[in-house]
Amino acid sequence: SLGRSGERAQAERVAYHWLQADSPQRAARPLEIAARRHIEARNHGRALALLDQLQQISPGGLSTELQERRADALYHNRKPTAAQAIYAQLNELQPQPRLWRKISRCFWRAGDLSNSHRSILQAARLQQLALPSVAWSSRLWTGLRFLSLLLGSRFALSAVEREQSKVEALLSRSLFFSRPPQWQNDYLFLMLRQVNWRLEDENQPGRLAQREITLGACHLLGPRHLFGRARQHLERAVDIALGMPTSWARAELLVDACYHLLCLGHPQLGQISETAHHVTQQLGDPALVLHSCHLLGLYHRLAGRLVHSQQAYAEAIWIVDETDNGYERELIQAQQTILAA
């Protein structure tokens, strides 16, 4: 009767009863439904447990799609090495930018920046993204677009798929921290592409704020006399973000803007950074809280408030210990070493 009265709503209970009745084949479908519901709810721990059960009772094992979902759950349960092994197996069957991006993400979480960068470059190649470091046409495009930006020109709209934007965002981060030869040209190229797609639908505050941040960051790469324009763009981005309701997007925008304002020594950076940190704590997202802690630690250290800086880094260390993020742990410990010197 449980199956007739709403299998989707009671999928986990239905599966439990079929398993107790020694009917694993009948339990397979309810287990899959329940696992998918937990994945949608971002309850990765329970989703992983159900997928493991499903794998045990399925004669042919999990489907390719469910194997990837299981790897996603492993990654979010702080098991990047196990997740990376599954992504690699799936990628051998059919290489895809999405899988290379996820492999790169696993290496990054494990603290292996070199392999992380190589993997995200593979994703970019599959998407036929020609970076200026390997293509003269992209180098010319970057120079012309940067000159147009400095002259105040507006770019035409260009559509970018969601997966492609994810790959480009991860590649930008990898370039900034790995810093291979000619990384500055590639980094600027990706930022200018972001200006293009973020011009789309300026009625959305989040997109408009991100565009202002990107424009500000681009001006920071130019001559010093353009820093005033960079500050104007970044201040507009902060004003837009502060007017948004509390959300993951708002927190990320504030933290992103603060990192660039730090380069300018903005007089209100302390207040904005504290606001960003408060928003990230409200959301409870470990990655965002970690970034805001790092930002506060760096800001207070540069301002000479060493006790406040130590407190921010202590909170960051507690988070990386909980999330087992190898790269972030080394980064925070390096900052603590500088502080103690």
Side-chain angles (χ1 to χ4, degrees):
S1 62
L2 281 172
R4 292 195 301 269
S5 63
E7 183 179 350
R8 181 170 293 275
Q10 303 290 340
E12 204 164 340
R13 289 183 60 192
V14 172
Y16 172 79
H17 282 281
W18 283 125
L19 288 172
Q20 293 299 310
D22 285 333
S23 298
Q25 292 182 346
R26 292 188 174 185
R29 179 58 180 166
L31 274 176
E32 180 180 341
I33 293 173
R36 290 182 183 279
R37 291 182 64 230
H38 283 294
I39 290 171
E40 292 172 1
R42 302 182 68 84
N43 185 5
H44 301 290
R46 188 57 187 159
L48 179 60
L50 293 175
L51 288 172
D52 286 343
Q53 273 189 295
L54 181 59
Q55 188 175 40
Q56 291 175 1
I57 66 174
S58 300
L62 298 178
S63 65
T64 301
E65 191 260 341
L66 284 178
Q67 287 183 54
E68 184 176 347
R69 295 293 166 264
R70 182 172 177 270
D72 293 341
L74 284 166
Y75 172 80
H76 289 291
N77 276 280
R78 302 190 292 276
K79 298 177 181 178
T81 304
Q84 186 269 330
I86 297 174
Y87 291 139
Q89 290 176 357
L90 297 175
N91 204 38
E92 289 179 359
L93 299 175
Q94 185 178 1
Q96 297 182 40
R98 182 186 70 258
L99 292 173
W100 276 117
R101 173 178 62 82
K102 291 181 177 182
I103 290 172
S104 174
R105 185 178 63 175
C106 290
F107 280 126
W108 182 277
R109 175 61 64 87
D112 189 346
L113 268 64
S114 178
N115 278 321
S116 176
H117 186 64
R118 279 196 286 267
S119 299
I120 197 62
L121 282 178
Q122 290 292 339
R125 291 191 186 101
L126 286 179
Q127 290 182 338
Q128 299 181 342
L129 181 63
L131 296 173
S133 58
V134 296
W136 69 267
S137 57
S138 296
R139 200 173 307 134
L140 178 62
W141 182 94
T142 303
L144 292 175
R145 283 303 171 98
F146 189 49
L147 179 62
S148 299
L149 175 69
L150 299 185
L151 295 175
S153 302
R154 291 172 62 85
F155 300 155
L157 302 182
S158 61
V160 176
E161 296 179 358
R162 181 174 177 81
E163 179 58 35
Q164 186 173 348
S165 69
K166 288 182 178 181
V167 168
E168 291 183 11
L170 191 56
L171 180 55
S172 295
R173 184 179 70 172
S174 181
L175 284 168
F176 184 81
F177 286 100
S178 300
R179 306 206 170 190
Q182 301 186 40
W183 73 272
Q184 296 97 328
N185 291 334
D186 294 344
Y187 188 71
L188 178 59
F189 169 75
L190 292 172
M191 281 207 300
L192 291 171
R193 282 177 58 84
Q194 291 170 8
V195 173
N196 275 357
W197 72 263
R198 281 165 179 160
L199 272 167
E200 184 181 4
D201 196 357
E202 293 187 359
N203 293 323
Q204 296 185 16
R207 283 186 176 273
L208 184 56
Q210 186 61 69
R211 175 178 173 265
E212 293 293 339
I213 291 173
T214 306
L215 287 171
C218 287
H219 281 98
L220 281 175
L221 295 175
R224 288 186 65 86
H225 69 269
L226 294 177
F227 282 13
R229 290 169 64 178
R231 175 174 171 172
Q232 292 174 1
H233 285 295
L234 293 170
E235 287 176 344
R236 278 199 292 267
V238 169
D239 290 339
I240 295 169
L242 290 175
M244 295 169 59
T246 300
S247 63
W248 184 88
R250 182 192 186 211
E252 187 181 48
L253 288 168
L254 287 172
V255 172
D256 197 9
C258 284
Y259 272 111
H260 293 96
L261 288 172
L262 185 65
C263 299
L264 296 172
H266 196 277
Q268 296 180 339
L269 178 60
Q271 180 181 350
I272 301 171
S273 299
E274 291 289 352
T275 301
H277 187 57
H278 179 67
V279 173
T280 59
Q281 287 178 323
Q282 281 183 313
L283 295 171
D285 187 312
L288 284 176
V289 177
L290 184 61
H291 290 163
S292 65
C293 285
H294 183 269
L295 174 66
L296 278 175
L298 184 58
Y299 165 72
H300 286 306
R301 177 166 64 83
L302 294 176
R305 292 185 284 271
L306 303 185
V307 174
H308 291 81
S309 182
Q310 288 174 342
Q311 292 172 349
Y313 287 136
E315 183 180 352
I317 284 293
W318 181 83
I319 294 172
V320 296
D321 286 341
E322 288 293 314
T323 57
D324 194 25
N325 190 323
Y327 170 72
E328 296 290 354
R329 180 184 291 107
E330 291 184 5
L331 180 63
I332 299 299
Q333 287 175 344
Q335 295 298 324
Q336 287 181 315
T337 302
I338 295 173
L339 189 62

